[in-house]
Amino acid sequence: MAEPIKNKRPDPAVAPFVSISPIYPAVVAAQQDLACDHELTILHDAEDLGGGVTAASIFAHDPRLVSLIQGRLGSLVGKSSGYIESLPAEVKRRVSGLKGIQKEHSKLEAEFQEEVLQLEKKFFAKFTPLYEQRAAIVNGKTEPTEDLVKAGEEDEDKAEGAAVETKGATDGGKVNGIPEFWLSAMKNQISLAEMITDRDEGALKSLIDIRMEYLDKPGFRLIFEFAENEFFTNKIITKTYYYQNESGYGGDFIYDHAEGDKIDWKAGQDLTVRIEQKKQRNKTTKQTRIVKKTVPTESFFNFFSPPKPPTDDDDEAAEDIEERLELDYQLGEDIKEKLIPRAIDWFTGEALAFEELDEEDYADFDDDDEDDEDDDSEDHDDEDESEEDEEDGSKPKQEPSECKQS
């Protein structure tokens, strides 16, 4: 399916522009200001560095200066140099006319994106019966027809197919559907595989189906259906992606936020937390107690607790939150645009041949076993001993053998 919905944050009210000649004086002024601010420091550094001092050597010696210059120049982006304001009235009028044309163009872009979305919905309605047929086969409710099997075997090696059939015939016992279909498919999709821990796999084995639906307004909902399991009582867990009402620059829909369902974990089965244990020994009484503390941990199921958009008070953490929002949105898009439409290709691994991976992706994918071992080590209770000092002459307190904190 097409991808008309982009992960874009709102563009500035005034589009930034770069004009070398008009903006040059402003850049020079900024550089002069910086030079004045740091003149003494630069001269002092130049004396320490000796003769033949170059700008590169000064910057290398004082990285703070580079950072300050980058920050000052970055603040100039999108600011008018005064060139437009200085134009004659008749030229300003023509500029306004071009802006009027651009507004008409933007209306057509928004109309185009809306029609693309409607086209997606139209064909999604045609895809849905195929997804339902797939789910029925995966969960053992029906068997594929001979025509479907032949169509799927057209590009397969006959000898390999015969070997698979023989193996299945000698295993003994009836296998219902395709066991662990969705878990296997997700583990082959690298962005999802990185989120799945060994602990998660027990719950994801009960995953019956993953599907999606469009909202009445721009946005979509991912639907995860589970069989009864030992981890939570939910049969359906959803995550919904919402978009802003107004289109962005270029007519694209702008991602706003996501909301996930609350998971009703069974007692002691919450995969998004782990229990840390610490032994504490009283220095005076020599009594020992065990303190248990619940702490968050990595889990695929954190996917259903998406990060919240930053507020005006979160300036310091805004960049980190923006990165997490972008990653969260991309994961949703990967499930919607890749995993659901081509689940069988991810199950067999054939889809990997069409993925554009960089070296880091390959390294991460190859090191999954090592990462899983690290996860296992983190799951073990961390135990250490500490002593609690009490004031001399105070009456020893009878500490409970165990206390829990959450």
Side-chain angles (χ1 to χ4, degrees):
M1 294 187 291
E3 300 185 16
I5 301 176
K6 304 296 182 182
N7 180 22
K8 295 177 59 179
R9 306 304 300 171
D11 291 317
V14 179
F17 66 92
V18 177
S19 179
I20 296 178
S21 297
I23 206 169
Y24 179 77
V27 174
V28 172
Q31 292 173 333
Q32 290 174 342
D33 290 342
L34 287 171
C36 292
D37 292 339
H38 298 276
E39 182 178 359
L40 294 177
T41 302
I42 293 174
L43 291 175
H44 177 72
D45 291 342
E47 292 175 359
D48 292 340
L49 291 171
V53 176
T54 64
S57 63
I58 293 176
F59 290 150
H61 186 68
D62 189 359
R64 295 172 300 172
L65 183 59
V66 178
S67 177
L68 287 170
I69 291 177
Q70 289 176 338
R72 185 71 65 91
L73 295 180
S75 67
L76 297 175
V77 176
K79 291 186 177 180
S80 173
S81 65
Y83 171 72
I84 300 297
E85 290 78 1
S86 67
L87 292 173
E90 60 270 23
V91 177
K92 287 184 179 180
R93 184 175 181 277
R94 293 166 194 148
V95 171
S96 297
L98 294 182
K99 288 184 177 180
I101 293 175
Q102 188 60 47
K103 282 189 175 181
E104 293 299 321
H105 189 278
S106 297
K107 290 179 182 178
L108 290 177
E109 285 179 323
E111 183 180 341
F112 168 76
Q113 294 292 355
E114 181 61 35
E115 290 196 15
V116 169
L117 177 59
Q118 296 306 319
L119 185 63
E120 276 197 11
K121 291 182 177 181
K122 175 183 176 181
F123 275 87
F124 177 75
K126 296 182 179 182
F127 294 145
T128 299
L130 301 180
Y131 298 152
E132 293 173 348
Q133 191 175 7
R134 177 179 67 191
I137 295 173
V138 167
N139 295 300
K141 295 180 180 179
T142 186
E143 294 294 330
T145 64
E146 288 299 322
D147 289 341
L148 289 175
V149 173
K150 289 180 180 179
E153 289 179 342
E154 285 180 356
D155 298 329
E156 293 180 1
D157 182 77
K158 292 183 179 180
E160 181 181 356
V164 172
E165 290 181 5
T166 303
K167 180 180 178 182
T170 58
D171 282 344
K174 183 179 180 181
V175 178
N176 188 44
I178 304 180
E180 301 179 18
F181 175 82
W182 285 104
L183 172 58
S184 300
M186 292 170 68
K187 290 178 70 175
N188 279 334
Q189 217 291 320
I190 294 180
S191 61
L192 296 176
E194 293 175 345
M195 301 175 60
I196 299 173
T197 68
D198 284 347
R199 298 173 68 211
D200 293 332
E201 290 191 19
L204 292 174
K205 286 179 181 179
S206 64
L207 189 53
I208 294 175
D209 193 24
I210 302 177
R211 53 187 182 270
M212 59 85 64
E213 62 184 14
Y214 285 98
L215 307 181
D216 293 335
K217 59 180 182 179
F220 62 92
R221 178 176 293 112
L222 300 175
I223 303 169
F224 294 74
E225 183 177 357
F226 291 86
E228 186 174 349
N229 59 79
E230 61 182 294
F231 297 92
F232 44 78
T233 60
N234 308 65
K235 296 298 178 63
I236 299 288
I237 305 177
T238 70
K239 184 172 181 179
T240 306
Y241 287 84
Y242 296 94
Y243 297 87
Q244 296 182 9
N245 294 327
E246 297 182 1
S247 300
Y249 189 77
D252 293 332
F253 296 112
I254 303 174
Y255 171 56
D256 188 68
H257 72 285
E259 296 177 4
D261 285 346
K262 179 180 180 297
I263 300 177
D264 298 321
W265 298 101
K266 295 182 180 180
Q269 298 293 343
D270 190 342
L271 298 174
T272 64
V273 299
R274 60 187 173 88
I275 306 298
E276 285 187 350
Q277 281 191 170
K278 183 192 296 185
K279 287 183 179 180
Q280 291 184 340
R281 185 176 60 189
N282 189 290
K283 185 176 182 180
T284 303
T285 65
K286 305 302 181 182
Q287 288 185 331
T288 301
R289 67 174 182 176
I290 297 176
V291 177
K292 290 187 176 182
K293 185 177 181 181
T294 301
V295 296
T297 190
E298 293 183 356
S299 169
F300 167 78
F301 291 93
N302 289 324
F303 175 72
F304 298 100
S305 301
K308 303 296 182 184
T311 62
D312 295 337
D313 299 331
D314 295 334
D315 290 339
E316 295 182 0
E319 184 175 349
D320 176 64
I321 295 176
E322 287 287 351
E323 290 179 358
R324 292 170 56 200
L325 285 169
E326 183 176 351
L327 175 61
D328 180 74
Y329 174 81
Q330 189 57 54
L331 287 170
E333 277 289 300
D334 286 347
I335 295 172
K336 170 179 174 282
E337 298 290 343
K338 296 180 179 181
L339 183 65
I340 294 177
R342 300 188 177 276
I344 184 58
D345 291 338
W346 290 106
F347 175 78
T348 62
E350 295 173 38
L352 289 169
F354 302 96
E355 283 287 279
E356 295 182 0
L357 306 178
D358 54 30
E359 293 181 1
E360 292 182 0
D361 288 328
Y362 279 117
D364 292 341
F365 194 64
D366 292 337
D367 294 341
D368 276 349
D369 293 339
E370 296 180 8
D371 293 340
D372 291 341
E373 291 176 3
D374 294 339
D375 291 339
D376 290 341
S377 64
E378 290 180 0
D379 291 339
H380 292 299
D381 296 331
D382 298 330
E383 298 187 0
D384 58 11
E385 295 186 358
S386 62
E387 296 182 349
E388 293 181 313
D389 295 330
E390 295 183 358
E391 296 181 1
D392 295 337
S394 61
K395 183 179 180 181
K397 296 181 180 179
Q398 296 297 326
E399 301 289 354
S401 60
E402 181 178 292
C403 65
K404 297 182 178 180
Q405 300 176 358
S406 60

